[in-house]
Amino acid sequence: MNPEDLITETAHEIRDLIDDINRTWLKGDPADLERVFYHDVVIQPPGDSPRVHGRDPCIASYEAFVKDAHVRQFSPGDAEIDVFGDTAVATYRYRMIYQIAEDTFDETGGELLVFLRREDRWLVAWRTMLA
């Protein structure tokens, strides 16, 4: 396979993985993210919030959100993906409408995800939440 075809195939794999990650937390079962998070994964929330380090605490952050929020709409844009050997970087924008208690939020944001290929599968090593 030539290098361009390999990059294209990898980009499709990463897009499918992003879709799978979003389906997983949207259906309310973020514990399933264990299979796609690198053991030392880091999440950087927007603003001055501290980073979350490690697979279990990162999954717990998703669990806290889906416990408290009722997502009415999540519309992700197309991911742009760059591949560098066994590392890939993906960015995409989204719109999300959700409710927590009596408050409704209509937000646009984005994500920057860094993936590492380990043992022939891609794992999320870094997630930056963009405002």
Side-chain angles (χ1 to χ4, degrees):
M1 181 177 294
N2 72 46
E4 285 184 25
D5 289 342
L6 183 58
I7 290 171
T8 300
E9 182 178 307
T10 299
H12 286 297
E13 286 180 55
I14 297 296
R15 280 187 188 92
D16 290 345
L17 186 53
I18 292 169
D19 290 344
D20 185 43
I21 290 166
N22 287 329
R23 272 192 303 276
T24 298
W25 69 264
L26 282 166
K27 75 176 184 179
D29 195 9
D32 282 349
L33 295 173
E34 181 177 344
R35 64 187 166 70
V36 296
F37 278 2
Y38 187 63
H39 64 91
D40 285 333
V41 63
V42 174
I43 295 177
Q44 175 62 63
D48 294 332
S49 298
R51 291 180 179 168
V52 180
H53 294 265
R55 182 184 299 140
D56 291 342
C58 287
I59 290 171
S61 71
Y62 278 86
E63 289 171 336
F65 179 77
V66 300
K67 177 182 172 242
D68 294 338
H70 172 71
V71 178
R72 296 179 180 265
Q73 176 186 337
F74 180 76
S75 305
D78 291 331
E80 293 187 31
I81 299 164
D82 296 287
V83 180
F84 311 94
D86 287 339
T87 304
V89 178
T91 57
Y92 70 96
R93 304 291 300 168
Y94 63 82
R95 178 178 181 212
M96 180 166 46
I97 301 171
Y98 62 99
Q99 184 173 350
I100 297 177
E102 300 299 319
D103 297 320
T104 300
F105 302 89
D106 185 344
E107 297 179 354
T108 56
E111 292 193 329
L112 180 147
L113 299 161
V114 177
F115 295 85
L116 303 176
R117 186 181 356 232
R118 296 292 186 261
E119 300 175 8
D120 293 326
R121 65 188 184 118
W122 290 97
L123 300 171
V124 177
W126 183 279
R127 174 184 181 221
T128 297
M129 301 164 62
L130 306 168

